[in-house]
Amino acid sequence: MSKRITGRYEKAIAGGEKVDAFIPFDLPPARPALLIDAKLGHRLHEAEQALVRLDLAGEMVPSLDWFIYAFVRKEAVISSQIEGTQASLVDLLAFEAEEEPPPHAEVEEITNYLDALAYARDQLASKRGLPLSMRLLNGAHKRLMRGVRDSDKQPGELRRTQNWLGGSRPGNAAYVPPPPDKLPQLLSEFEKYIHVDDALPKLVRTGLLHVQFETIHPYLDGNGRIGRLMIALLLDQPANWTAPNKINSLQTMN
């Protein structure tokens, strides 16, 4: 499988400077096509088997609710720590145990993540709820950013300005995402691929969707957390992990 994201560059203005914004090609990869070689196929099988074991563990524990409770909170803490939050799982549990917990900005960021995930899962579980879509992710983003640092950066809305990652200014940025006027088309194609039924294994599709989302970087802040939350939603669908022999039916490279 190619180790680089494929796409094209386009001139854009960010912070008064001309920059080369990157626009990824639509999914699935076609230039070049995604190939699963023997090494990747083996690693994919190992990952799928690990998820199967996790499913089995969930069936064996005395309380599935507590099993999910612990894993969801651990994910919320780790995802928030990646973004710089210093609060720990112990801090979160202590915060939840108090009847009237005192304000704690970093713990609130984690509880917002939990609220966003609960909202999204409730929507997907309801017959009248939203499907996995940008509208759903926007709703989750609104809850994620509510009342915390950078909550003024358009919670629940796609960015309307050019952003950049790394560097002290746009001109020396490590990465410049697509210009805001490209987001509607890019996200429309992204959303379509969520619901496309192709031959790629579920884990590969999930990885592709996550990379595409982060490459597009549709929000001014919170992209990393929403992208990781989306992985949980994609994997929360009914388990149907690829059998080892199905990999052989895909286009392979020996």
Side-chain angles (χ1 to χ4, degrees):
M1 183 167 56
S2 173
K3 294 183 178 180
R4 63 185 180 86
I5 303 168
T6 57
R8 61 185 178 84
Y9 287 94
E10 181 174 295
K11 294 294 183 183
I13 301 295
E17 294 184 88
K18 289 184 178 180
V19 294
D20 290 321
F22 184 76
I23 303 175
F25 294 143
D26 296 332
L27 296 176
R31 295 177 278 179
L34 187 149
L35 301 174
I36 299 180
D37 59 18
K39 182 178 179 181
L40 179 58
H42 176 71
R43 295 177 65 184
L44 176 61
H45 175 62
E46 288 184 327
E48 290 168 342
Q49 291 304 303
L51 288 168
V52 169
R53 290 194 294 274
L54 182 61
D55 281 342
L56 292 174
E59 296 176 2
M60 296 171 63
V61 296
S63 172
L64 181 59
D65 289 340
W66 277 104
F67 186 73
I68 295 174
Y69 175 95
F71 268 92
V72 166
R73 276 151 182 77
K74 183 177 180 181
E75 156 62 20
V77 169
I78 293 174
S79 186
S80 299
Q81 287 177 341
I82 290 173
E83 302 301 325
T85 300
Q86 299 300 312
S88 67
L89 181 59
V90 172
D91 294 328
L92 173 63
L93 296 177
F95 181 88
E96 292 185 326
E98 295 290 336
E99 292 184 2
E100 295 182 1
H104 191 312
E106 293 198 336
V107 172
E108 285 187 59
E109 291 189 14
I110 301 174
T111 58
N112 276 10
Y113 183 96
L114 291 170
D115 288 342
L117 181 58
Y119 159 79
R121 293 188 69 192
D122 287 345
Q123 288 291 316
L124 293 175
S126 172
K127 291 182 179 179
R128 295 186 178 182
L130 295 170
L132 189 47
S133 59
M134 284 308 303
R135 186 179 173 190
L136 177 73
L137 296 180
N138 288 345
H141 185 262
K142 183 176 181 179
R143 287 157 176 80
L144 176 75
M145 303 300 295
R146 180 184 294 150
V148 296
R149 57 177 176 171
D150 295 327
S151 60
D152 58 333
K153 292 186 176 180
Q154 300 171 220
E157 299 179 18
L158 302 180
R159 58 182 170 85
R160 295 186 289 273
T161 57
Q162 181 65 59
N163 54 355
W164 68 91
L165 284 75
S168 58
R169 56 185 178 79
N172 63 12
Y175 174 68
V176 181
D181 65 305
K182 302 297 181 183
L183 296 185
Q185 179 62 29
L186 286 169
L187 292 172
S188 175
E189 293 301 320
F190 168 82
E191 194 172 71
K192 288 177 184 176
Y193 188 68
I194 291 176
H195 303 286
V196 164
D197 184 16
D198 62 18
L200 291 174
K202 183 177 182 178
L203 274 180
V204 173
R205 286 172 47 79
T206 299
L208 289 172
L209 284 164
H210 178 243
V211 171
Q212 190 80 346
F213 180 85
E214 300 298 350
T215 303
I216 296 171
H217 231 66
Y219 305 116
L220 287 179
D221 192 38
N223 293 281
R225 282 165 287 174
I226 290 297
R228 291 186 290 275
L229 183 149
M230 182 186 69
I231 293 175
L233 299 178
L234 288 165
L235 296 181
D236 199 27
Q237 305 305 303
N240 183 25
W241 307 115
T242 306
N245 59 358
K246 185 174 180 182
I247 295 176
N248 296 328
S249 70
L250 301 172
Q251 185 176 14
T252 59
M253 180 173 59
N254 297 321

